[in-house]
C-alpha cells in the first residue's frame, strides 16, 4: 500500500510519515498542492492524505484535480476547520473521508483502512492459498495454522505475491508498490527482505512457497 501525505507543516508531515512507515505503508510526502499533483501523476497511490490549507494550491483544488485526472485511490482530507460547510465541500470535490485536526494517529489508520476497503468493495481481502493465510487488516500471516511473525515489509511482499499468484513479479514492480520514492532501485533491498521472508515462511516446512525465476522475478 502506497500513501501520499500532503501537508505543509513539516513536523505533522514527518510524524504521519513515520507512523505509517512503521505500519508497513510506503509513504511519500508533498509539501504543497502543486507537488502533490505532480507526484500523483507519476506514482501509483492507494490513498492520499490531504491537508486542506496548503500553499500554492489548496487541498480542495488538489482534490478536484486528482479526481479530474481520474485518480482512483482514496482521499482523506485533513482539516483544521470543523465547519460543516468545509467538510461538505471536500466530499463534493471527491474526498472519501475527512479528519479534523488534531486527530489520534490510530484514527487516521482506521480511516485509511476504511477507504481502501470501500474502494471496489473489498480491496484488501484475507487471502488463502497453499496453506498460507494472510490478513492485511492485522498483518497476520499463518501457514498450516501456525503463526509466522513477519515485519510489515515482509508481509507486504508476500501479500503482493499472493495477490498475483502464479505470475512472476519483477523486482522493479515490488519496489514500485511496496517501497517509497526514496528506495534505490540498484540496492539489494528487495533481495534482502525476500531472503528473510522465505526463511520465515519455510522454516519447518518441506515445500518452498516462493520461487525465483531467473530474469523474470518472484512467484508464489
Ligand atoms: Ca496546512
Amino acid at each position: 500500500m502506497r500513501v501520499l501525505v500532503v501537508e505543509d507543516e513539516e513536523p505533522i508531515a514527518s510524524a504521519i510519515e513515520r507512523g505509517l512507515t512503521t505500519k508497513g505503508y510506503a509513504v511519500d510526502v508533498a509539501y504543497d498542492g502543486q507537488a502533490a499533483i505532480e507526484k500523483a501523476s507519476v506514482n501509483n497511490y492507494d490513498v492520499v492524505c490531504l491537508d486542506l490549507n496548503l500553499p500554492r494550491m489548496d487541498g480542495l483544488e488538489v482534490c478536484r484535480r486528482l479526481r479530474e485526472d481520474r485518480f482512483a485511490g482514496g482521499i482523506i482530507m485533513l482539516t483544521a476547520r470543523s465547519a460543516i460547510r468545509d467538510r461538505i465541500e471536500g466530499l463534493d470535490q471527491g474526498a472519501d473521508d475527512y479528519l479534523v485536526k488534531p486527530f489520534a494517529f490510530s484514527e487516521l489508520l482506521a480511516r485509511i483502512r476504511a477507504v481502501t476497503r470501500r474502494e471496489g468493495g473489498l480491496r484488501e481481502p484475507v487471502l488463502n492459498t497453499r496453506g498460507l493465510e494472510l490478513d492485511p487488516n492485522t498483518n497476520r500471516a499463518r501457514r498450516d495454522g501456525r503463526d509466522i511473525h513477519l515485519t510489515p515489509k515482509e508481509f507486504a511482499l508476500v501479500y503482493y505475491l499472493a495477490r498475483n499468484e502464479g505470475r512472476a513479479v519483477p523486482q522493479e514492480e515490488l519496489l514500485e508498490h511496496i517501497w517509497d520514492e526514496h528506495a534505490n532501485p540498484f540496492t539489494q533491498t528487495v533481495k534482502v527482505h525476500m531472503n528473510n521472508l522465505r526463511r520465515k515462511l519455510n522454516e519447518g516446512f518441506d515445500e518452498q512457497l516462493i520461487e525465483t525465476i531467473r530474469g523474470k522475478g518472484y512467484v508464489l
Side-chain angles (χ1 to χ4, degrees):
M1 286 281 250
R2 192 160 175 180
V3 180
L4 176 64
V5 175
V6 190
E7 168 64 78
D8 58 316
E9 282 163 77
E10 224 198 302
I12 300 178
S14 41
I16 296 175
E17 182 184 19
R18 268 198 312 276
L20 290 176
T21 303
T22 59
K23 292 289 176 188
Y25 291 94
V27 185
D28 294 334
V29 179
Y31 297 101
D32 65 65
Q34 191 61 47
I37 297 286
E38 283 160 16
K39 282 179 195 274
S41 70
V42 292
N43 300 312
N44 250 322
Y45 296 108
D46 299 288
V47 182
V48 175
C49 299
L50 183 60
D51 183 29
L52 200 55
N53 290 312
L54 290 167
R56 294 178 78 191
M57 187 193 298
D58 80 4
L60 286 173
E61 178 65 12
V62 173
C63 189
R64 198 184 60 73
R65 291 222 196 165
L66 285 175
R67 291 309 188 203
E68 209 175 76
D69 294 343
R70 307 193 172 281
F71 172 72
I75 299 177
I76 301 172
M77 288 276 197
L78 310 177
T79 170
R81 313 174 195 166
S82 59
I84 285 175
R85 194 172 49 85
D86 290 322
R87 300 186 203 176
I88 290 172
E89 209 177 332
L91 297 171
D92 280 348
Q93 297 297 344
D96 297 289
D97 208 344
Y98 59 86
L99 266 176
V100 177
K101 291 178 184 176
F103 50 82
F105 183 68
S106 55
E107 196 176 356
L108 176 61
L109 280 178
R111 300 292 171 97
I112 289 176
R113 283 197 301 267
V115 300
T116 50
R117 270 200 298 269
R118 199 179 300 158
E119 238 176 276
L122 256 182
R123 180 92 181 264
E124 295 255 51
V126 174
L127 295 180
N128 274 291
T129 177
R130 299 172 62 194
L132 201 59
E133 186 186 313
L134 303 169
D135 183 350
N137 304 301
T138 56
N139 273 10
R140 182 178 161 129
R142 311 186 71 172
R143 187 171 177 188
D144 292 348
R146 196 192 296 173
D147 276 317
I148 298 169
H149 299 284
L150 301 177
T151 65
K153 274 283 186 271
E154 289 160 2
F155 185 89
L157 272 176
V158 69
Y159 190 79
Y160 194 85
L161 291 180
R163 270 209 320 204
N164 293 279
E165 195 183 353
R167 175 169 76 85
V169 180
Q171 192 161 309
E172 306 80 66
E173 186 177 332
L174 293 170
L175 262 180
E176 161 78 9
H177 285 269
I178 299 171
W179 274 269
D180 56 39
E181 63 187 1
H182 300 300
N184 180 343
F186 302 106
T187 61
Q188 300 288 304
T189 316
V190 174
K191 215 174 207 169
V192 170
H193 282 83
M194 191 60 80
N195 286 344
N196 292 334
L197 169 65
R198 278 177 157 151
R199 184 174 42 73
K200 291 182 184 178
L201 286 180
N202 295 331
E203 213 166 7
F205 293 94
D206 291 332
E207 194 201 2
Q208 305 283 306
L209 282 181
I210 299 170
E211 271 179 73
T212 308
I213 298 178
R214 216 168 227 285
K216 292 222 165 133
Y218 301 98
V219 63
L220 186 134

